[in-house]
Amino acid sequence: GRAFPDIQQCHSSIEFLKNSYLTVSIEPLPPVVVGDAVTLKCNFKTDGKMREIVWYRVTDGGTIKQKIFTFDAMFSTNFSQMENYRKREDLVYQSTVRLPEVRISDNGPYECHVGIYDRATREKVVLASGNVFLNVMAPPTSISVLAADTPAPFSRYQAQNFTLVCVVSGGKPAPLVYFKRDGEPIEATPLPEPPAGASSWAPRNLLHRDLDDTKVPKSLAADGELGMGNPFPTADPPRGLAAERDSVTETIPETVVSREFPRWVHMAEPIYYFRHTHAPVSDGTVEARATLTWTLNPQIDNEALFSCEVKHPALSMPMQSEVTLVAPKGPKITMTPTRARVGDTVRILVQGFQNEVFPEPLFTWTRVGSRLLDGSAEHDGKELVLERVPAELNGSMYRCTAQNPLGSTDTHTRLIVFENPNIPRGPEDSNGSLPRRCGFRFVLALTLTVILELT
């Protein structure tokens, strides 16, 4: 099929005969935006008699031509879509086709075919055509900034790469995407596009660091995490508050925000790496993805404002989306029911934070000094569910660790379990003792009752 590489290109044809001639041309069109009204104009000049005018929309590389307008002089005298005026001995015509609200599907080449009768014989028709390419643009409809590979933990003693992903959808042609930090454009080193089939989300491995004494305090490397001359035992370490890294005075609930950073983290300006890819979508638009990767430094990157901005010929001003990198702080924990009784299902949920957190935190629940009710050492997720809590869990303490690559925070909450009057107490035996299957629970319930009366 015929190619139309230039949006300004138009084609005209001239047919000369002994007794008549015909010239056809279509006025070139600038790019238009979705929703605009467009008028296609076909100009032709001839000294012969009009036979027909046919407009085509060309698809599939020129293999398919769809009629969008036909004027047949043999069966119609309606010249409302044509203008003519006498110039010397020639007739100049203009046929117009109006598209009131163009869509992306209207993008492509159009042809105007004109036929006249030869002066010498009415049985011969002279044909000529012209073509033009209608370039329909669409502004982006959405822009968002995400963090790749999230949720991710906080790394206190080892550097890690961090990647922001800017996704721009709905635009045609592909937009120009760039990043800013605190309102200033970022100078980044461009990275080549990944090979076909590879994921463009994966950040490039910028660092090859081994864990050495520049990244782990010597006291930790030699003596174990506690720094007390006692390395980790092979069994699970105690989960009580005595095993905490930071020495704090316990208040329930408590919040401990990790703010210890390794000595190798320098205050120098980071080196950014930028990658831009785009992929066509079935509706004719393009989805653009831009990634910004650098070695994260929580000391200087926490509370930094990053924005992704888009320039597009169909936009009068740049389009942007911004995020602030923030470590989690002050989780707000709720427990339902607020007054838990033996046999209830208890839900402990992180409802939010004192601040807006980005990227999304990773939540880990543990029970201080013991395992969780289901026997597991920890549970991932914003919500911890304890089904049919027994009286033995009264007074148990639970730790929620919320962390993202910028920092970590621990919050503790204590579970108080009350007696459930709907659970019957077993009858006493002849010795005044309770059966084994319920005696221990009943003794705890009595103990809880005494405590409640004293308080």
Side-chain angles (χ1 to χ4, degrees):
R2 183 183 300 158
F4 304 93
D6 188 351
I7 62 173
Q8 298 291 337
Q9 179 186 15
C10 65
H11 179 268
S12 61
S13 63
I14 305 175
E15 291 291 337
F16 289 98
L17 299 174
K18 286 185 177 182
N19 300 315
S20 60
Y21 71 94
L22 172 65
T23 62
V24 178
S25 64
I26 302 181
E27 296 183 9
L29 291 171
V32 298
V33 180
V34 168
D36 288 351
V38 176
T39 300
L40 305 177
K41 297 179 180 181
C42 178
N43 301 315
F44 52 96
K45 183 178 180 181
T46 182
D47 58 354
K49 188 173 182 180
M50 177 65 59
R51 172 61 180 87
E52 65 177 358
I53 304 171
V54 182
W55 281 90
Y56 294 96
R57 179 172 179 267
V58 184
T59 58
D60 293 339
T63 58
I64 299 178
K65 294 184 179 182
Q66 176 187 0
K67 285 185 180 182
I68 59 175
F69 171 77
T70 301
F71 170 79
D72 193 328
M74 291 183 63
F75 302 100
S76 175
T77 58
N78 181 15
F79 287 80
S80 61
Q81 297 199 45
M82 293 191 300
E83 300 174 2
N84 66 85
Y85 59 90
R86 176 75 61 174
K87 184 179 179 182
R88 295 196 184 102
E89 299 298 326
D90 306 324
L91 286 178
V92 177
Y93 298 88
Q94 183 180 79
S95 175
T96 60
V97 171
R98 179 178 171 82
L99 305 177
E101 294 183 4
V102 294
R103 298 170 295 181
I104 294 180
S105 58
D106 295 325
N107 186 87
Y110 291 79
E111 293 183 358
C112 173
H113 292 245
V114 179
I116 64 169
Y117 290 111
D118 185 13
R119 281 186 173 182
T121 171
R122 290 294 300 269
E123 297 178 356
K124 186 173 184 180
V125 177
V126 181
L127 297 175
S129 64
N131 58 63
V132 67
F133 194 95
L134 176 61
N135 186 0
V136 181
M137 300 186 302
T141 56
S142 67
I143 178 174
S144 59
V145 179
L146 312 171
D149 304 318
T150 57
F154 172 63
S155 178
R156 181 173 295 180
Y157 301 115
Q158 189 174 11
Q160 59 179 333
N161 299 332
F162 187 76
T163 300
L164 288 176
V165 182
C166 181
V167 182
V168 184
S169 304
K172 177 187 175 296
L176 173 64
V177 185
Y178 55 95
F179 285 92
K180 289 184 177 180
R181 175 172 178 154
D182 297 326
E184 298 295 328
I186 295 176
E187 295 184 5
T189 301
L191 294 175
E193 291 194 13
S199 173
S200 60
W201 287 72
R204 183 183 181 187
N205 186 14
L206 306 179
L207 293 173
H208 302 279
R209 295 182 182 269
D210 296 323
L211 206 60
D212 55 34
D213 61 351
T214 66
K215 293 175 277 299
V216 178
K218 293 183 179 180
S219 61
L220 301 188
D223 302 329
E225 187 175 356
L226 300 181
M228 301 293 291
N230 299 320
F232 279 145
T234 55
D236 291 341
R239 304 298 297 192
L241 292 179
E244 289 296 322
R245 213 172 270 138
D246 304 300
S247 177
V248 296
T249 301
E250 178 188 353
T251 57
I252 305 300
E254 68 175 8
T255 299
V256 180
V257 180
S258 301
R259 283 294 178 264
E260 297 179 8
F261 299 108
R263 290 172 292 165
W264 53 260
V265 175
H266 302 292
M267 300 300 291
E269 288 293 325
I271 300 176
Y272 296 97
Y273 295 85
F274 178 81
R275 172 176 287 153
H276 184 253
T277 61
H278 59 269
V281 184
S282 59
D283 62 0
T285 61
V286 176
E287 181 183 84
R289 291 177 182 260
T291 61
L292 184 71
T293 303
W294 74 99
T295 302
L296 191 70
N297 185 339
Q299 288 176 306
I300 63 175
D301 290 332
N302 191 43
E303 298 186 357
L305 174 66
F306 286 84
S307 61
C308 172
E309 297 193 5
V310 170
K311 288 185 177 179
H312 192 274
L315 292 173
S316 58
M317 59 186 301
M319 185 179 185
Q320 74 168 14
S321 177
E322 58 186 26
V323 294
T324 301
L325 304 187
V326 180
K329 183 179 180 181
K332 301 175 183 178
I333 295 181
T334 60
M335 184 183 298
T336 54
T338 55
R339 184 183 175 91
R341 299 183 299 180
V342 174
D344 287 347
T345 294
V346 177
R347 299 179 182 273
I348 310 175
L349 173 67
V350 180
Q351 281 196 328
F353 297 88
Q354 294 177 1
N355 55 347
E356 293 290 335
V357 178
F358 183 88
E360 176 188 358
L362 175 68
F363 299 94
T364 305
W365 292 90
T366 54
R367 180 182 173 187
V368 177
S370 183
R371 290 182 173 268
L372 297 174
L373 183 59
D374 61 0
S376 60
E378 61 184 29
H379 170 76
D380 294 331
K382 294 182 67 174
E383 185 180 50
L384 175 66
V385 179
L386 306 173
E387 295 185 355
R388 297 184 295 278
V389 293
E392 291 87 339
L393 289 185
N394 180 55
S396 58
M397 188 183 299
Y398 296 87
R399 178 193 299 113
C400 176
T401 300
Q403 57 183 323
N404 68 7
L406 294 142
S408 174
T409 178
D410 291 344
T411 298
H412 296 76
T413 186
R414 192 183 297 277
L415 174 63
I416 305 299
V417 182
F418 295 89
E419 177 185 358
N420 191 343
N422 296 324
I423 298 180
R425 305 175 184 179
E428 294 184 355
D429 57 19
S430 59
N431 296 327
S433 60
L434 295 173
R436 289 185 180 180
R437 58 188 176 88
C438 62
F440 181 65
R441 177 176 295 179
F442 187 62
V443 170
L444 280 178
L446 290 177
T447 304
L448 286 174
T449 304
V450 172
I451 293 175
L452 290 174
E453 290 178 355
L454 291 177
T455 57

